[in-house]
Amino acid sequence: RFADGGSLETDVLVFSAGIRPRDDLARDCGLVVGARGGIVIDGQCRTSDPAVFAIGECALRDGRIYGLVAPGYQMAEVAAAALRGEAAPTFDGADMSTKLKLLGVDVASLGDAHAATPDSRCCTLVDERAGVYKKLVLSPDGGRLLGAVLVGEADDYGTLLQLMLNAMPLPSRPESLLLPAAEGGESPGMGVAALPVSAQICSCN
């Protein structure tokens, strides 16, 4: 409120991003935690006490918390192998591709969603009428999918993820992967039948 009695009306935007690890038990036990929270682990998911392991959203690896279920599964596999005394690859990070529904809107991202790869190229579809935004990030020659962003419609997330993970060659016109199916027809992009037999379509158990 101003001295003359007037007032200034403003809009306030409040948003939340990320997660806060529940590391209270680790702190009480004297385990090393990060400056901003999270139980510090090594590549075998061991904490500062080698007899104690931590996995999932409470674990901090190289200064990063992984707030998704897939990295938690990878940590569990590494920790289980270590507990069995087996040689196992270390946990040094994970693919952060994910599909979510935020406030009723389907959103998904995979791979190099921000086109950080040098000389990468983007194909973008913006449909304001339908409220849909899609972006593909392609290799410099346009032959491989490096990443993608899907907002408003993410039905093709599984197929695009497998195209990226399996480094599969793209159609001669990659932008066709962005186009919706014609009414009563199929999408002009690549379908599930084009994926290799080793492709994993779902990990929801």
Side-chain angles (χ1 to χ4, degrees):
R1 184 171 297 277
F2 299 108
D4 61 2
S7 63
L8 175 66
E9 294 185 2
T10 61
D11 293 325
V12 177
L13 174 65
V14 179
F15 67 93
S16 175
I19 60 170
R20 177 178 295 175
R22 294 294 303 270
D23 55 14
D24 310 67
L25 180 61
R27 291 177 185 273
D28 293 343
C29 294
L31 297 178
V32 175
V33 298
R36 300 182 63 185
I39 307 167
V40 176
I41 61 171
D42 64 11
Q44 298 297 312
C45 297
R46 286 187 173 89
T47 67
S48 55
D49 182 335
V52 180
F53 292 75
I55 64 172
E57 298 175 347
C58 68
L60 180 71
R61 173 65 173 150
D62 292 332
R64 185 170 188 179
I65 294 287
Y66 292 87
L68 297 172
V69 67
Y73 290 156
Q74 291 180 242
M75 290 182 191
E77 292 178 0
V78 170
L83 288 169
R84 293 193 299 264
E86 300 174 358
T90 60
F91 178 80
D92 293 315
D95 177 29
M96 296 298 285
S97 300
T98 188
K99 177 182 177 183
L100 304 168
K101 184 179 286 290
L102 301 177
L103 300 176
V105 178
D106 286 328
V107 297
S109 70
L110 54 118
D112 183 11
H114 300 292
T117 302
D119 300 321
S120 58
R121 299 174 179 272
C122 295
C123 293
T124 305
L125 169 70
V126 180
D127 186 343
E128 295 182 352
R129 179 192 60 81
V132 170
Y133 171 86
K134 297 181 180 182
K135 179 179 75 172
L136 301 180
V137 181
L138 311 175
S139 59
D141 64 358
R144 296 288 186 276
L145 182 65
L146 303 180
V149 175
L150 307 171
V151 179
E153 199 261 68
D155 293 345
D156 294 329
Y157 168 78
T159 301
L160 294 175
L161 180 61
Q162 292 304 318
L163 288 173
M164 180 192 73
L165 293 177
N166 292 282
M168 295 176 61
L170 299 178
S172 59
R173 296 182 60 85
E175 63 273 16
S176 66
L177 298 172
L178 297 173
L179 300 177
E183 190 169 344
E186 297 182 353
S187 170
M190 300 172 69
V192 174
L195 299 177
V197 294
S198 60
Q200 178 177 318
I201 303 301
C202 180
S203 61
C204 60
N205 290 338

